[in-house]
Amino acid sequence: MPDPSPTPILDAPHADADVLDNAPWHSLTGPHESFAIGGDLVRRYPEDVAPFVAVRSWDEPGVWQALVDLVGPGAEIGLSGYDGDVPAGWEIVGQGEGVQLVETDALRPRPDPEAVLLGAQDAPEMLAIVERNQPGPFRPRTYELGRYIGIRRDGRLIAMAGERLHPEGWTEISAVAVDADHRRQGLASRLVLDVAFHIQERGDRALLHAAASNVGAIAAYERLGFALRRRNRFSAVRTPTA
């Protein structure tokens, strides 16, 4: 079986950056363990929290059967960091390339005076802005994973960002969304810097994930002080039906 590990691009300036090679697993066995469903080989978040399924190691015997036991037959799941062959009976539904970026010393985070905290009462609006802008997966309870903030204009939520994966010592900035008629005003950058500020305030460091094809967003994150650490393959697969 081919080595599924992507080639690192940046040597992250922190000794514990290895947890980022398998961020979902280290989230679900670390700070997000209270959300974890599964056991010693595979874990996942509740379906209404996040779509991620995490694997301890692809070299573990029985890992594919453990995935079936966890999610059931005929289920479609996303796998991160695996680009080898799938066993007989499994189906690859889709694949894509992503990138992982981490903060550098050039990042200058700061709180934003217009940002407001978002919570359970804002979930319908959060789901709506994600639907309008498609920044990535967001479920009804995703806001429980960390701190989410937004900007309102005339009472309407027009920009949002927050925290998602949380491997020990790191927090992912995610769900960065700005409505089309409010773009090019720097709102996304302001919210990213606010989220990063509070991440650093509690002693963590910030990371981001983006589709490799989203070159505009990647360039914007790099201008803020993030650097490309590694490329990664994302695969959507379907478990055997019987």
Side-chain angles (χ1 to χ4, degrees), residues 115-157:
V116 296
L117 286 173
L118 302 174
Q121 71 279 5
D122 306 294
E125 288 182 281
M126 298 167 80
L127 290 165
I129 195 172
V130 167
E131 179 65 26
R132 294 194 299 269
N133 296 282
Q134 300 295 314
F138 193 90
R139 301 288 172 83
R141 292 174 55 213
T142 299
Y143 68 87
E144 295 181 16
L145 295 178
R147 176 178 174 271
Y148 278 83
I149 58 171
I151 290 176
R152 295 184 181 277
R153 296 283 167 81
D154 298 323
R156 182 174 185 246
L157 184 66

Side-chain angles (χ1 to χ4, degrees), residues 48-66:
D48 60 350
V49 173
F52 303 112
V53 175
V55 171
R56 184 173 71 189
S57 170
W58 292 107
D59 296 326
E60 293 283 352
V63 67
W64 293 98
Q65 184 57 51

